């Protein structure tokens, strides 16, 4: 009865597969499924593009590239041949951290960046979608990591009472 009422109202049931499991979900079949952003892969060729300027003080270079709104900045820069530092490429470390001088990004997957750091203008290029023109500067290696965690790790908690093994 629920399926019949749903179909008559314009909604319907859509089958989906997830690996070896199949499920049926209630959804509005009059509308196409929502498009998920997968920023590491090329997206819509007609997506709006934003100019992103990344300054690298360690190398003394500035890179300017057009990045589609549905692509992570770091992945688009890599695809265009730019050498931008990264380690995990999943938003868990701070190797690709930048300080944004102008512009905004969407970085929902930036697990390696505390909320306070994001609010202070820091971003991780490997999981950041441009939402406007961007002007940013790469940070020194470990600078963002130290700002987030250095003080708390230095304080420690308990003293480790382990035995040091001799190296042979």
């Amino acid at each position: 009865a629920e399926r019949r009422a749903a179909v008559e109202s314009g909604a319907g049931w859509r089958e989906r597969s997830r690996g070896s499991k199949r499920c049926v979900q209630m959804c509005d079949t009059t509308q196409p499924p929502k498009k998920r952003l997968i920023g590491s892969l090329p997206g819509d060729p007609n997506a709006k593009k934003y100019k992103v300027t990344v300054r690298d003080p360690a190398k003394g270079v500035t890179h300017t590239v057009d990045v589609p709104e549905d692509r992570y900045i770091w992945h688009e820069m890599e695809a265009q041949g730019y050498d931008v530092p990264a380690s995990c490429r999943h938003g868990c470390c701070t190797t690709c951290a930048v300080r944004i001088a102008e512009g905004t990004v969407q970085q929902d997957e930036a697990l390696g960046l505390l909320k306070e750091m994001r609010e202070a203008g820091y971003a991780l290029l490997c999981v950041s979608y441009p939402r406007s023109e961007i002007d940013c500067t790469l940070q020194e290696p470990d600078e963002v990591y130290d700002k987030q965690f250095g003080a708390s790790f230095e304080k420690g908690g308990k003293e480790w009472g382990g035995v040091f093994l001799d190296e042979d």
Side-chain angles (χ1 to χ4, degrees):
E2 186 181 345
R3 284 188 187 189
R4 183 177 309 217
V7 171
E8 289 171 4
S9 70
W13 295 85
R14 180 178 291 139
E15 287 190 31
R16 297 185 320 168
S17 343
R18 286 190 177 170
S20 62
K21 295 183 179 181
R22 290 183 68 164
C23 63
V24 178
Q25 76 178 55
M26 179 66 187
C27 58
D28 181 359
T29 55
T30 62
Q31 300 291 323
K34 283 186 178 177
K35 188 175 178 184
R36 288 189 52 201
L37 292 176
I38 304 176
S40 58
L41 302 173
D44 179 4
N46 300 317
K48 184 175 183 176
K49 293 184 179 182
Y50 294 104
K51 183 175 82 169
V52 176
T53 302
V54 179
R55 301 175 197 296
D56 185 346
K59 295 180 181 173
V61 296
T62 299
H63 306 298
T64 301
V65 62
D66 289 329
V67 180
E69 67 182 349
D70 63 350
R71 187 97 195 262
Y72 292 140
I73 296 169
W74 186 91
H75 291 272
E76 182 64 20
M77 293 186 77
E78 180 191 45
Q80 292 189 29
Y82 292 96
D83 181 27
V84 181
S87 185
C88 75
R89 296 180 181 92
H90 297 292
C92 295
C93 72
T94 56
T95 306
C96 64
V98 294
R99 181 92 188 247
I100 298 177
E102 292 181 31
T104 57
V105 296
Q106 176 185 339
Q107 55 176 339
D108 300 333
E109 293 87 21
L111 301 175
L113 208 52
L114 295 173
K115 180 181 177 185
E116 295 81 16
M117 296 295 285
R118 284 180 280 186
E119 291 171 352
Y122 289 91
L124 301 178
L125 290 181
C126 69
V127 291
S128 291
Y129 296 103
R131 293 298 176 245
S132 69
E133 307 257 319
I134 307 287
D135 186 359
C136 61
T137 303
L138 283 165
Q139 300 300 289
E140 290 292 320
D142 298 327
E143 177 182 341
V144 174
Y145 185 86
D146 289 343
K147 284 182 179 180
Q148 292 187 105
F149 307 115
S152 62
F153 285 150
E154 290 296 319
K155 290 179 186 171
K158 286 175 37 176
E159 243 183 77
W160 182 64
V163 178
F164 291 101
L165 301 175
D166 291 335
E167 291 185 41
D168 285 42

